[in-house]
Amino acid sequence: MFIIPIQNKPDWSRPPLITLALIVINLLVFVFYQGLDEGKRAQAIDTYRQLALSAVERPHYNRYLQRENPEAYERWTAIREAAPEPLSIGPLVVQDIEFDAYLREVWREQEPENLEAWQRKRHQFETERNKISVLQAGLIPAEPEPLDFITSLFLHGGWGHLLGNMAFLFLFGFILETALRPSVYVAMYLASGLAADGLFLLLNLNSITPVVGASGAISGLMGMYLALYGFRRIRFFYSVLFYFGEFTAPALWVLPAWLAKEFYGYFFVESNTAYWAHIGGLLAGVAMVLALPASRKQFAQREEESQQEDALNQHLREVQRLVANLDVEQARRRADYLCKHHPTDPRPWETLFDLHKSQPSRKPFHQAAFSALRAFCQHGDTDPHWISMIKELLGEYRSLSPKAPALTGDLCLLLSRRFWNLGERSYAEAYLRLAQARGAKRQPLIAMVRRVHRHYQQSTDIARARHWHSALEALTEPATSDSEPV
């Protein structure tokens, strides 16, 4: 059984840099650290041969195989008997660390004579062999080292193991990285790995088989993903034997299926897979996200915004289709609908203006310009694309209609204030002058002129300060003379 979410697509406008960095680190460790294992293994075999341990340990290895793995013993016996001369067990011993524990049992019953020399040689060999990456940095439950809980997360058993894990790391990581703060994301990734290794260790205290791989931490990401979506319905892809397809379900409903898959693997599948590590990672990931209600709320809000964005994009494509089919009136009605339902996005307003600018002498053209400019004054700080769109719109509007009736005095004053707040000083001053020329309301106009004058006065721009001081005097002079006693 195979179930993965297909709800999201990578957003390369916000690349998942931390996830990509984790993938690169895993690749580098595998290529440049684990890639040296073949030489280390050859060196260990050579050390075993030089120390002449094969002759001493061969009978013990035969008994060990006969007891622990009869099938392997039969294969080894057939190979040994067919060989023209005694075979070295070095290549087998190097990759079978359980034989170490068997020898410790033998030594307890061994006569002291020659035992010390054997143990010394054996220690020398094991020191050389333990330089192999999975023994040096993997987690061995029977002999756990604190650092191994972290280093084991970046080791893998082969290219298939590595590439499979990296695919899932990217699949879940690029969503979680945008949903969580970078430090929280990294901490929860490592914490999931620690929880996975911890649960596996507790249930396999006597195991001396090294545990390696990022799958425990990645299982944590899978659990985090489900917990973030909670009971919202999302799309999944499934594959069971030769059947595959898609289904939609509340995210957390898939958690029991994933857990059941791991339990089934543990009880019924012969494999080296650390199923309990996967289970520990999954449960830890779910628990950590459920303990962060603020993160879940922010993620839900972003998902809603993303869905609205997708819906708007689809509607805008529909408008373009209507235009292509020469159904301009229907396109205008659709664009007007989008402006009302997505007032903070500049694109519907730009589209509505573009649909009317072919008829600059008609009233709807000026109404479209006025509405777009008013929306900018109200929502211009919600999207960085507002400024460039409005600048272009103003240029086209004043070019197509030099009298620009939509630019009333009060609207010019609002434009001036919005441009000023966004740091567009030249536009703000230009429309402030136009607001004064077109008779904007007096008190708001005075307040804006006084604000601009104060700014240039404090910035020691003498020329502009004088200009706006004169404008301020011209505006306040009538009010002052009216208030003087007769």
Side-chain angles (χ1 to χ4, degrees):
M1 181 179 67
F2 184 68
I3 302 176
I4 59 170
I6 52 173
Q7 180 73 11
N8 310 94
K9 295 179 180 179
D11 180 6
W12 290 108
S13 64
R14 293 184 297 173
L17 297 179
I18 295 176
T19 298
L20 293 175
L22 287 171
I23 292 173
V24 169
I25 291 171
N26 278 279
L27 288 169
L28 291 176
V29 168
F30 188 79
V31 172
F32 294 104
Y33 175 55
Q34 292 191 264
L36 303 175
D37 280 350
E38 203 56 46
K40 295 175 182 178
R41 190 174 289 108
Q43 181 60 43
I45 294 173
D46 189 55
T47 300
Y48 194 82
R49 179 186 58 79
Q50 291 176 4
L51 295 173
L53 283 169
S54 186
V56 178
E57 296 184 356
R58 187 183 294 110
H60 300 292
Y61 191 70
N62 290 337
R63 287 192 291 272
Y64 158 75
L65 275 185
Q66 192 173 12
R67 187 183 81 175
E68 300 295 333
N69 194 337
E71 292 182 4
Y73 173 72
E74 290 179 6
R75 292 194 298 270
W76 166 242
T77 300
I79 295 171
R80 190 180 71 238
E81 291 176 351
E85 57 185 33
L87 295 176
S88 172
I89 62 172
L92 300 175
V93 170
V94 162
Q95 60 189 21
D96 193 348
I97 63 172
E98 292 186 3
F99 183 50
D100 297 3
Y102 178 83
L103 286 181
R104 303 300 189 268
E105 295 178 11
V106 170
W107 289 345
R108 284 198 291 269
E109 301 172 359
Q110 191 77 11
E111 293 296 329
E113 183 181 359
N114 298 326
L115 180 59
E116 184 178 344
W118 180 12
Q119 290 176 327
R120 185 171 61 253
K121 291 179 180 180
R122 182 72 194 184
H123 177 73
Q124 185 178 344
F125 159 70
E126 290 181 7
T127 300
E128 190 66 39
R129 182 207 57 193
N130 290 350
K131 294 178 182 177
I132 296 172
S133 62
V134 295
L135 300 176
Q136 188 176 53
L139 176 65
I140 300 175
E143 302 171 358
E145 296 289 339
L147 190 59
D148 293 344
F149 283 89
I150 297 296
T151 56
S152 63
L153 302 179
F154 297 92
L155 302 178
H156 289 85
W159 277 108
H161 187 204
L162 172 69
L163 296 178
N165 274 349
M166 295 305 98
F168 278 93
L169 173 55
F170 179 78
L171 177 66
F172 293 98
F174 86 88
I175 290 296
L176 293 165
E177 186 172 336
T178 60
L180 303 168
R181 294 195 308 276
S183 58
V184 173
Y185 172 64
V186 172
M188 291 176 73
Y189 175 83
L190 295 176
S192 295
L194 294 175
D197 286 346
L199 181 61
F200 183 86
L201 184 146
L202 287 174
L203 297 173
N204 297 272
L205 288 173
N206 297 320
S207 173
I208 58 173
T209 302
V211 180
V212 298
S215 53
I218 294 167
S219 294
L221 297 186
M222 295 164 68
M224 293 178 217
Y225 183 94
L226 296 183
L228 276 175
Y229 275 103
F231 292 102
R232 289 195 297 281
R233 300 181 70 86
I234 62 175
R235 293 167 57 228
F236 291 90
F237 171 83
Y238 73 90
S239 174
V240 180
L241 297 178
F242 302 107
Y243 300 95
F244 61 88
E246 297 180 16
F247 67 93
T248 302
L252 277 176
W253 283 18
V254 175
L255 179 61
W258 280 352
L259 289 172
K261 175 180 177 293
E262 300 301 332
F263 281 117
Y264 177 85
Y266 176 75
F267 287 108
F268 300 106
V269 178
E270 286 291 332
S271 169
N272 290 327
T273 303
Y275 292 105
W276 280 111
H278 296 177
I279 294 169
L282 269 171
L283 295 177
V286 170
M288 284 188 289
V289 169
L290 292 180
L292 296 173
S295 294
R296 297 203 311 278
K297 184 177 180 180
Q298 292 171 3
F299 178 75
Q301 184 177 350
R302 278 195 291 268
E303 279 296 299
E304 184 176 351
E305 292 171 355
S306 177
Q307 291 173 4
Q308 291 176 353
E309 174 76 8
D310 291 342
L312 176 57
N313 289 334
Q314 185 175 350
H315 286 307
L316 288 172
R317 287 192 293 270
E318 176 64 17
V319 171
Q320 296 302 321
R321 188 189 65 80
L322 290 170
V323 173
N325 293 335
L326 303 180
D327 193 351
V328 179
E329 283 305 315
Q330 179 64 18
R332 287 170 177 168
R333 287 194 291 272
R334 182 65 61 86
D336 185 62
Y337 170 86
L338 294 178
C339 290
K340 291 175 181 175
H341 288 80
H342 301 273
T344 62
D345 194 301
R347 290 172 297 168
W349 300 105
E350 182 180 26
T351 300
L352 183 64
F353 177 80
D354 288 343
L355 290 170
H356 284 288
K357 69 182 181 183
S358 60
Q359 298 174 313
S361 61
R362 296 188 62 188
K363 185 178 179 181
F365 169 65
H366 302 288
Q367 289 175 331
F370 181 84
S371 298
L373 295 170
R374 284 277 302 186
F376 168 67
C377 294
Q378 293 172 344
H379 310 293
D381 57 349
T382 60
D383 191 310
H385 297 100
W386 267 112
I387 295 178
S388 58
M389 188 277 280
I390 286 297
K391 286 181 178 180
E392 185 176 347
L393 184 148
L394 283 168
E396 286 190 271
Y397 179 62
R398 299 185 74 174
S399 173
L400 293 169
S401 178
K403 292 185 179 180
L407 291 172
T408 64
D410 289 338
L411 179 58
C412 288
L413 182 57
L414 291 174
L415 285 170
S416 174
R417 187 179 296 123
R418 172 57 68 194
F419 278 125
W420 186 268
N421 290 339
L422 293 173
E424 298 287 336
R425 304 297 189 215
S426 59
Y427 274 85
E429 292 181 64
Y431 282 93
L432 183 56
R433 285 190 288 268
L434 191 58
Q436 188 175 3
R438 296 199 170 190
K441 290 180 182 177
R442 191 164 175 273
Q443 290 305 319
L445 180 62
I446 290 173
M448 187 63 196
V449 171
R450 182 175 285 116
R451 180 181 177 185
V452 175
H453 169 251
R454 188 182 301 116
H455 169 79
Y456 287 120
Q457 196 175 35
Q458 293 173 350
S459 66
T460 67
D461 189 333
I462 305 301
R464 279 192 169 88
R466 285 176 177 172
H467 169 79
W468 290 109
H469 178 71
S470 300
L472 186 60
E473 283 188 334
L475 285 168
T476 56
E477 196 171 67
T480 303
S481 59
D482 289 345
S483 63
E484 287 178 355
V486 178

